[in-house]
């Protein structure tokens, strides 16, 4: 048996469809909202809030004797850099990092290597040799082992600052 194929009637807007216009408008609205959300995600990524570069990806912490630049946001199992610039003349500048840092990060490389490393109370102390006029720069390559928020203390020249790094999956 052959089905009867009927021609759809012509609508008021001149289209010869049996589709409701309301469904199409809802679809277009959902599509425009999706485009807007995708644009917001791209903007957030470009600014550095996803840990892959950008203006807001790094943070700078100022001490009396040094300036530390480290990631504000990083990615899980991704390498990142922490740099310390000692700005005052010292024969043996020291950096002390609290244990919560080492619970979330591993150190891959320290350049130049510290002259002395010591375990302090719930922290690790790194002492470097500095020759010549400052500034002296230390670069530490770190890799996050877990994701989450790390808040830890850094001490340089007797000054302690609380630092936070967000590790995204």
């Amino acid at each position: 048996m052959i089905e009867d194929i009927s021609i759809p009637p012509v609508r008021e807007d001149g289209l010869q469809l049996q589709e409701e216009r309301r469904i199409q408008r809802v679809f277009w609205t959902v599509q425009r909202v999706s485009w807007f959300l995708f644009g917001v995600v791209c903007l957030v990524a470009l600014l550095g809030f996803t840990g892959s570069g950008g203006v807001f990806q790094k943070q700078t912490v100022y001490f009396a004797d040094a300036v530390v630049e480290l990631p504000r946001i990083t990615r899980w199992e991704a390498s990142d850099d922490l740099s310390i610039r000692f700005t005052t003349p010292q024969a043996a500048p020291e950096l002390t990092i609290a244990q919560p840092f080492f619970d979330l990060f591993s150190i891959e490389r320290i350049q130049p290597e510290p002259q002395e490393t010591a375990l302090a109370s719930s922290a690790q102390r790194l002492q470097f040799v500095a020759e010549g006029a400052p500034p002296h720069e230390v670069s530490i390559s770190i890799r996050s082992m877990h994701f989450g928020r790390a808040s830890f203390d850094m001490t340089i020249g007797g000054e302690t600052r609380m630092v936070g790094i967000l590790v995204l999956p």
Side-chain angles (χ1 to χ4, degrees):
M1 177 177 208
I2 299 176
E3 288 188 32
D4 185 24
I5 299 176
S6 61
I7 298 174
V10 177
R11 298 187 323 195
E12 295 173 10
D13 57 7
L15 295 176
Q16 196 170 6
L17 300 172
Q18 287 180 328
E19 181 178 291
E20 288 188 41
R21 186 104 170 128
R22 183 184 63 79
I23 294 173
Q24 184 64 41
R25 287 185 186 190
V26 168
F27 179 75
W28 286 339
T29 303
V30 168
Q31 191 176 31
R32 286 185 183 116
V33 168
S34 299
W35 289 344
F36 175 76
L37 292 176
F38 182 70
V40 168
V41 168
C42 287
L43 181 64
V44 165
L46 286 172
L47 291 175
F49 290 113
T50 59
S52 54
V55 178
F56 295 106
Q57 193 250 342
K58 296 277 186 187
Q59 63 182 316
T60 304
V61 181
Y62 295 95
F63 293 86
D65 298 334
V67 176
V68 178
E69 187 177 281
L70 66 159
R72 179 185 324 250
I73 300 169
T74 188
R75 302 298 291 210
W76 178 40
E77 294 186 349
S79 291
D80 224 321
D81 290 322
L82 185 149
S83 66
I84 303 106
R85 192 172 60 247
F86 294 100
T87 56
T88 59
Q90 301 174 41
E94 285 185 8
L95 165 68
T96 304
I97 304 175
Q99 187 58 41
F101 173 82
F102 297 100
D103 294 340
L104 198 59
F105 293 95
S106 67
I107 294 180
E108 294 182 325
R109 180 182 63 88
I110 302 175
Q111 187 63 35
E113 290 191 19
Q115 174 190 12
E116 182 182 320
T117 305
L119 294 175
S121 178
S122 298
Q124 292 187 25
R125 185 177 50 82
L126 309 171
Q127 186 178 37
F128 301 91
V129 175
E131 297 175 356
H136 300 103
E137 194 154 330
V138 175
S139 178
I140 301 174
S141 294
I142 59 174
R143 180 181 296 269
S144 59
M145 298 181 297
H146 306 286
F147 55 88
R149 177 119 177 107
S151 294
F152 56 92
D153 289 332
M154 290 183 81
T155 304
I156 297 176
E159 268 186 280
T160 301
R161 299 273 190 270
M162 174 64 82
V163 180
I165 300 176
L166 177 63
V167 180
L168 298 176

